[in-house]
Amino acid sequence: MTMQRVCLLGATGSIGVSTLDVIARHPDRYELFALSAHSRIDELAAQCLQFRPRYAVLPDAAAAQTLRERLAGSGVEVLSGAAALAEVAAHAEVDTVMAAIVGAAGLAPCLAAARAGKRLLLANKEALVVGGALFMAAVKEGGATLLPIDSEHSAIFQCLPEDRSTWARRIDHIVLTASGGPFRSRDPASLSNVTPDEACAHPNWVMGRKISVDSATMMNKALEVIEARWLFDLQPEQVRVVLHPQSIIHSMVVCRDHSVLAQLGTPDMRVPIAYGLAWPERIESGAEQLDFMRLGTLSFEPADERRYPGLPLAWAALRGPEGGTAVLNAANEVAVAAFLAGTIRFDQIHSVNAHTFERTPLGSGAAGSLAGLLSLDAEARSVARQHLKALS
Ligand code: NDP
Ligand code: MG
């Protein structure tokens, strides 16, 4: 068995920590080449001392200097800046890149890894939502192997054969399951005064704060609809969503003959992470096995658009001109940050998203380059911030 050298972007986050947990179980298969983080320097320092990667990367130069002093004599070299992230992601000695940064900040290193033909494990859905066609073209041109880590997309991927050229003939549509988040049974009219901690208390999954809020609004599912369109090359109407509060069925493929294939498991991100790391093999993940005798009922419901008004924006963005999905993502990043900071109410997240989506001019050709997408992202953030001022 050859050793895979792994570059882990977003090591200090929820996915990053779960990835390290799986890697630590298989020291004969994986070694860490680089770890990156943003603000949690103490956690990154501890990870570096445990896993001894060649490089540690932080976007900020002053934070990197602090880390350098902390790691003196350890043999870990500390790099800083956005360019360094892209450099380690594309480094000739790296086999596998785990993209677990949150938000559009992950797009540039993802594109670098794709263009360098890496095995690219994609948790960072926002990068694909922003990058869209450009991202998929980079994967194709670079000859990268793109493996989904989002549990729903991993489920779909696990239900499909290895030969991608057969997918279009095989798939009628896919069904992404959604837990409905912590407010599934709350009266929508009572959602105006929920706190960030209530919104982050997900019933089934333990995740970072941004994706937890996205799960409560179901903007997470909206982003996943867009992500699925690109990963599996589907028309927008071929991606459907159903609420499944138990989070046991992680998603389903409805085939042309109407046979339905599903992937099941306990809600533990180490399963899709282990699958991405080992594909096409399977390795131990550390997750508990499903206990069918204690499972009880698996239930399904439609997603109520009064409770989750942001969900339909996914199809609107996919059917509209290119760039709309990048605008939607930028608006949502600004809105969620404002909600977590206590600046806006929970129900105003949708107001920011809908307003920004309608008002941001898409221009022409912006979606064709990283620079164009980043400037569209900046424009949408500015429209969203102006709306925040109007709300406060
Ligand atoms: P976390 O917030 O827990 O972690 C995010 C990671 O990205 C941290 O390492 C953080 O560093 C780093 N980071 C944040 N901002 C920046 C930036 N501007 N530049 C560079 N690095 C940055 O998020 P999650 O682990 O929950 O999610 C990561 C991605 O995976 C998201 O895109 C999410 O949608 C996706 N995902 C997550 C799932 C989950 O179960 N958590 C499930 C499916 C998908 P630091 O901590 O040092 O600040
Ligand atoms: Mg998911």
Side-chain angles (χ1 to χ4, degrees):
M1 192 186 322
T2 52
M3 193 69 131
Q4 270 187 54
R5 282 209 195 90
V6 181
C7 167
L8 171 52
L9 306 176
T12 47
S14 163
I15 293 288
V17 169
S18 293
T19 302
L20 290 175
D21 181 283
V22 177
I23 285 181
R25 291 165 192 276
H26 303 279
D28 54 328
R29 293 184 74 117
Y30 308 105
E31 73 185 12
L32 283 151
F33 182 81
L35 294 175
S36 93
H38 185 235
S39 60
R40 286 179 266 194
I41 302 176
D42 291 344
E43 283 85 342
L44 183 61
Q47 291 175 341
C48 285
L49 293 175
Q50 184 182 351
F51 290 94
R52 304 284 168 155
R54 174 108 52 101
Y55 297 109
V57 189
L58 285 166
D60 178 65
Q65 186 51 32
T66 307
L67 183 66
R68 211 166 276 131
E69 286 158 19
R70 201 80 65 78
L71 293 177
S74 68
V76 180
E77 191 177 331
V78 180
L79 308 174
S80 71
L85 272 182
E87 258 167 53
V88 290
H91 198 286
E93 288 179 46
V94 165
D95 306 297
T96 298
V97 175
M98 165 59 92
I101 287 175
V102 60
L107 176 58
C110 275
L111 283 178
R115 290 190 177 122
K118 301 302 181 195
R119 180 184 180 104
L120 178 53
L121 277 51
L122 185 73
N124 184 196
K125 66 191 86 183
E126 297 92 343
L128 186 52
V129 169
V130 174
L134 183 77
F135 191 122
M136 295 311 287
V139 168
K140 200 167 173 196
E141 281 156 27
T145 305
L146 184 57
L147 297 164
I149 296 300
D150 217 344
S151 58
E152 296 78 1
H153 306 73
S154 172
I156 301 292
F157 185 68
Q158 292 183 51
C159 291
L160 291 170
E162 251 179 68
D163 182 357
R164 286 167 192 256
S165 69
T166 66
W167 290 359
R169 293 198 303 278
R170 193 171 280 261
I171 304 174
D172 183 82
H173 65 276
I174 64 169
V175 181
L176 302 180
T177 52
S179 71
F183 307 136
R184 184 178 58 85
S185 4
R186 286 261 301 240
D187 174 4
S190 74
L191 292 180
S192 57
N193 57 2
V194 298
T195 64
D197 283 346
E198 285 174 301
C200 289
H202 196 280
N204 306 335
W205 299 92
V206 181
M207 308 180 286
R209 282 171 81 77
K210 193 260 176 181
I211 184 175
S212 296
V213 175
D214 285 347
S215 297
T217 58
M218 261 179 73
M219 275 309 289
N220 180 50
K221 211 51 53 179
L223 299 177
E224 290 182 357
V225 167
I226 298 165
E227 184 186 12
R229 178 264 175 270
W230 290 112
L231 283 174
F232 305 110
D233 196 17
L234 298 170
Q235 296 301 313
E237 54 278 7
Q238 284 180 290
V239 188
R240 300 186 193 166
V241 171
V242 67
L243 288 195
H244 167 48
Q246 297 81 16
S247 300
I248 295 296
I249 295 180
H250 297 308
S251 279
M252 299 175 265
V253 176
V254 180
C255 303
R256 297 275 178 196
D257 58 6
H258 294 178
S259 177
V260 182
L261 304 174
Q263 185 261 343
L264 285 72
T266 45
D268 187 327
M269 286 307 294
R270 289 176 299 178
V271 177
I273 290 168
Y275 190 64
L277 282 169
W279 177 87
E281 292 172 32
R282 299 233 177 215
I283 54 171
E284 199 230 306
S285 66
E288 268 184 41
Q289 288 187 18
L290 265 189
D291 181 347
F292 288 99
M293 298 311 132
R294 292 174 54 190
L295 209 52
T297 309
L298 297 183
S299 60
F300 306 93
E301 324 165 1
D304 179 351
E305 289 186 9
R306 280 179 319 137
R307 192 187 311 282
Y308 308 112
L311 182 59
L313 292 176
W315 289 276
L318 283 175
R319 290 194 179 108
E322 263 193 288
T325 59
V327 168
L328 190 56
N329 177 71
N332 187 54
E333 286 193 33
V334 170
V336 172
F339 168 67
L340 286 172
T343 318
I344 58 168
R345 297 191 317 260
F346 180 76
D347 59 327
Q348 290 176 323
I349 295 173
H350 176 63
S351 162
V352 175
N353 290 348
H355 174 93
T356 308
F357 181 58
E358 271 165 34
R359 302 292 169 85
T360 308
L362 294 177
S364 63
S369 69
L370 178 60
L373 283 168
L374 293 181
S375 103
L376 186 57
D377 174 272
E379 171 70 19
R381 282 170 202 264
S382 140
V383 173
R385 286 199 189 99
Q386 278 163 24
H387 189 61
L388 285 182
K389 277 194 203 140
L391 287 175
S392 59

